[in-house]
Amino acid sequence: MDNNQIILSKKCIETIQRATTLLKIKTPEIYFINETSSRTELYSQDLKFISEDFRDIGYKIEKVRFIPKEYVIYINTKIFENEISMLCHCYQISRYVYQIDEVRKLKNNLPYNDTEPGIRQWAYMFDHITDGVNHTNSPICYDMMAFAKIMLKEFHNIQISFKDSSNKYVDDEVNSINRSNLKKNINSYKRKMNYTKGKNF
């Protein structure tokens, strides 16, 4: 990876860690895929080169992919071409991990954070649609997009909108998420970060 890719990889890791902290879930291990003209490189979360053999990855990674059984996120450095899109992908995949975790808790009668109807809707989609994350017209995706929209506004001062057909549903989900504990978690996180920054001076 070149120097710019290393900087953006670190930004990806930081973004996912922030999102998972706010969602109160364990941060998955993160790996980076860097495709060159001659090989497909695999890097660990500490950005150490692991392999140039695609078989060591074992999955096709177009952009970003979460593998639940391994609790690993794979990120293709192709997403670095547009930094806003990169941040959006990182926030969306973090929310996807959260959705899977919430469904697991519901199915195992464990305490969950979201609303039961919302989690049941995600569970239905996961059970009945193969790789639900790729179905853009689904409650799973609208929720992921809404989460990214909130996070980009709150932490990067970036306002985004999605395709016209999605915007209404995404905005509905933004309102729904804002009524959850997330807003409280964001405010608490920001206060903590400001306090920590203040102590450093």
Side-chain angles (χ1 to χ4, degrees), residues 15-116:
T15 301
I16 291 168
Q17 286 173 337
R18 176 189 299 121
T20 53
T21 298
L22 288 168
L23 293 168
K24 301 193 181 300
I25 54 172
K26 182 181 163 208
T27 305
E29 201 167 340
I30 301 165
Y31 288 92
F32 293 91
I33 315 294
N34 187 47
E35 295 173 338
T36 70
S37 56
S38 58
R39 62 189 197 172
T40 300
E41 301 169 338
L42 177 65
Y43 290 84
S44 63
Q45 186 162 321
D46 54 6
L47 304 179
K48 290 194 173 138
F49 176 77
I50 298 173
S51 169
E52 61 181 75
D53 190 336
F54 178 78
R55 289 169 297 185
D56 289 336
I57 301 163
Y59 303 97
K60 186 158 180 57
I61 315 296
E62 292 289 334
K63 293 179 182 173
V64 180
R65 186 167 177 185
F66 173 59
I67 311 296
K69 64 183 177 193
E70 296 173 15
Y71 210 69
V72 164
I73 292 173
Y74 287 98
I75 297 172
N76 192 317
T77 57
K78 279 193 287 193
I79 70 166
F80 296 167
E81 290 163 14
N82 177 324
E83 195 169 334
I84 294 174
S85 176
M86 175 196 86
L87 292 169
C88 200
H89 279 297
C90 290
Y91 283 128
Q92 286 187 57
I93 203 69
S94 302
R95 186 66 176 185
Y96 183 60
V97 176
Y98 169 80
Q99 291 169 345
I100 289 171
D101 195 54
E102 289 289 276
V103 168
R104 177 192 59 79
K105 287 175 184 169
L106 180 73
K107 288 184 172 180
N108 290 292
N109 294 314
L110 297 169
Y112 47 83
N113 299 307
D114 232 282
T115 63
E116 187 174 333

Side-chain angles (χ1 to χ4, degrees), residues 150-196:
I150 291 167
M151 296 298 280
L152 285 166
K153 183 181 174 195
E154 291 286 344
F155 291 97
H156 308 274
N157 203 22
I158 296 170
Q159 297 268 15
I160 61 164
S161 60
F162 295 93
K163 284 188 237 171
D164 292 342
S165 60
S166 300
N167 258 329
K168 180 198 178 309
Y169 300 106
V170 171
D171 287 343
D172 288 347
E173 286 303 315
V174 165
N175 292 332
S176 176
I177 291 172
N178 277 333
R179 286 193 299 271
S180 72
N181 283 333
L182 181 66
K183 198 74 175 170
K184 188 174 77 176
N185 294 350
I186 287 171
N187 292 335
S188 172
Y189 181 90
K190 283 181 171 179
R191 277 194 305 273
K192 188 177 172 187
M193 289 300 104
N194 287 334
Y195 175 72
T196 306

